[in-house]
Amino acid sequence: MSSVSAIFDKISSKDKDLRYMATSDLLNGLQKESFAMNAESEKKVCQVVLQQMEDASGDISNLAVKCLVPLAKRATDASFEEIVNGLCDKLLNSAKEPQRDIGSIGLKTVVSEISSTDTASGFVKKLTPKLITYLNSSGGIPDVKSECLDIIQEEAQRFGIHMTSLHEPLKDCLLPQLCNTRAGLRKRAILCTASIAASMPDVMLVGVCEHAISGLADKTKKPDITRTYVQMIGALSRSVGYRFGKYLPAVVPVLMEYCNAAAEGDDEMRENVLQGLESFVLRCPREVTPFLEAILAICLEYLKYDPNFSGDADEEDEDMECSDDEDADEESEDEYSDDEDSSWKTRRAAARCLTAIITSRPELLGQMYAQACPLLISRLREREESVKSDIFNVLIDLLRTTGAASKKPEGTSALTLLSGVVGNLIKESKKQVKEKSLKTKVAVFLLWKELVMALPNGLQDHIAGIVPSLEKALSVSVLVLCIAPPEAASTFEGNAMLLDFVPQRSLKRVFPAVAEVQRGS
């Protein structure tokens, strides 16, 4: 016990260095099984740790926070309750923001670090009712309520199985927050409710889903509240999976109506709807089947949704396709930019929903080639790089799904479908490989890699047009690899894969350029 006493003596010193050393010794001691504490010293250690968290020195307060986890693991129930009460008091009752921050950090640290089942169960049962009481209060500081919701969400994600007895009060507490005037609180309430719903029994989940559907269908609500309920529907679907399937007939038509009726600038609504539809496709595959035609149609419609920009996809001179102009890499097809334009969110969400359909429903390959593939190829000229990346990913997944289907007895038809679009796919992707963006170049080579894997002889008629692009991009890749950015490795890997399918006579053009770059570097 002399070591504990020595720590207590130093920890109250006016000398910052002594306090730091004492707190560090306490942390090291708590992490050792040999560090013995009786009931009295354990209580004193709890008080000291809570006190040191308020130290003016950030280094000391950070060490004190680290002491919480080993202390919580070995403390008796009485001492552990004292820690929880002390941290809650700082968060919920302090008039000073720094004190509230300390309480929040301390509670989040314990939630994220404890692993013992008994400790977790005790922690949840002691802490959560206090947070619920504060959230139910008519007053309270909004920022503190936000912290309470963050903590509850972390609890639900890690220890949802221990919160069964608290599901009813949590439901009654969280659902009214969906109509809160503060957007931040509404968003956190969505995340909390969805996290808790994952461990809810079906009987209680019905109440949550019906509340969300009722709020969604209420056309008298303000647009921002309606968006909240749209987000809530998507979050519930992602969280509870197939259990949400039975509600799709009531939900899907309403979501599509909101999507089509959204104002031109309301890209958040369209994005939220499309994200919800994506989750239905992935999480409720059987129940979503009757709606797949409509979902595919709305995805294709909004994949090209760009009200702030008009451009003719066929404007470019066809003779430019095979040009080896040295300035090609210096020019981007379109560098139009508008910081206020958020329509890219709609297009991105549509692309990701298409990916969900392609990867989860291989039986729709024929329909995807007929309806989606031509549009996807034309949209490779997308002006927003993040959306363009997602469109490349959709095409890559389409090729990957085709390759998998081709290995089945009836796979010949899948390869026939792919053969029919190879020409247009190569034509458009060759233009993209001239873009300045390294990310776009990487996407092109990954696309070609998947193409030759799905259809080994598919590039036979296009090699002559591809080799100049390979030659230039491969040379640049080797040069950039000498500087070692991580992205370049993917470009080089894609190129190396393609070289397996390049005729010997064409390789003679590629490798001298690589060797020249290597000598120059």
Side-chain angles (χ1 to χ4, degrees), residues 172-225:
D172 295 340
C173 163
L174 292 173
L175 292 181
Q177 299 294 336
L178 297 176
C179 292
N180 197 289
T181 55
R182 293 175 66 95
L185 285 174
R186 295 199 304 272
K187 183 177 180 179
R188 286 173 170 84
I190 289 170
L191 296 174
C192 276
T193 307
S195 297
I196 293 164
S199 57
M200 275 186 178
D202 289 343
V203 174
M204 191 171 297
L205 181 62
V206 168
V208 175
C209 292
E210 288 181 349
H211 177 91
I213 293 170
S214 174
L216 179 71
D218 186 352
K219 301 296 177 66
T220 65
K221 293 188 181 298
K222 295 180 179 179
D224 56 342
I225 303 298

Side-chain angles (χ1 to χ4, degrees), residues 110-314:
V110 177
V111 172
S112 63
E113 294 294 336
I114 57 177
S115 55
S116 165
T117 300
D118 293 337
T119 303
S121 179
F123 179 77
V124 166
K125 291 175 182 177
K126 291 178 175 64
L127 170 63
T128 310
K130 298 178 185 295
L131 302 180
I132 291 173
T133 299
Y134 192 88
L135 287 169
N136 283 332
S137 63
S138 57
I141 302 170
D143 287 344
V144 176
K145 289 190 173 184
S146 294
E147 295 296 330
C148 291
L149 291 170
D150 285 341
I151 294 168
I152 291 174
Q153 184 196 355
E154 183 72 19
E155 283 184 301
Q157 289 179 337
R158 296 207 66 212
F159 315 120
I161 194 172
H162 301 298
M163 303 180 77
T164 306
S165 61
L166 298 166
H167 280 164
E168 191 67 41
L170 279 168
K171 176 174 73 71
D172 295 340
C173 163
L174 292 173
L175 292 181
Q177 299 294 336
L178 297 176
C179 292
N180 197 289
T181 55
R182 293 175 66 95
L185 285 174
R186 295 199 304 272
K187 183 177 180 179
R188 286 173 170 84
I190 289 170
L191 296 174
C192 276
T193 307
S195 297
I196 293 164
S199 57
M200 275 186 178
D202 289 343
V203 174
M204 191 171 297
L205 181 62
V206 168
V208 175
C209 292
E210 288 181 349
H211 177 91
I213 293 170
S214 174
L216 179 71
D218 186 352
K219 301 296 177 66
T220 65
K221 293 188 181 298
K222 295 180 179 179
D224 56 342
I225 303 298
T226 300
R227 281 193 292 271
T228 296
Y229 279 100
V230 172
Q231 293 169 356
M232 182 75 253
I233 292 293
L236 279 174
S237 170
R238 288 187 288 273
S239 178
V240 306
Y242 72 91
R243 294 199 289 165
F244 194 80
K246 62 183 178 181
Y247 301 105
L248 295 194
V251 168
V252 173
V254 180
L255 286 182
M256 290 189 169
E257 181 183 345
Y258 279 130
C259 189
N260 291 323
E264 183 174 298
D266 196 357
D267 293 295
E268 185 180 357
M269 172 65 84
R270 282 182 285 270
E271 180 186 30
N272 293 334
V273 168
L274 289 164
Q275 287 173 343
L277 297 176
E278 177 191 357
S279 72
F280 300 158
V281 171
L282 294 173
R283 307 287 184 174
C284 311
R286 184 177 64 182
E287 294 83 359
V288 80
T289 299
F291 306 102
L292 280 175
E293 289 279 352
I295 293 174
L296 176 58
I298 205 169
C299 287
L300 296 177
E301 177 182 352
Y302 288 108
L303 184 67
K304 56 187 178 183
Y305 177 78
D306 199 355
N308 297 317
F309 177 75
S310 60
D312 186 353
D314 297 320

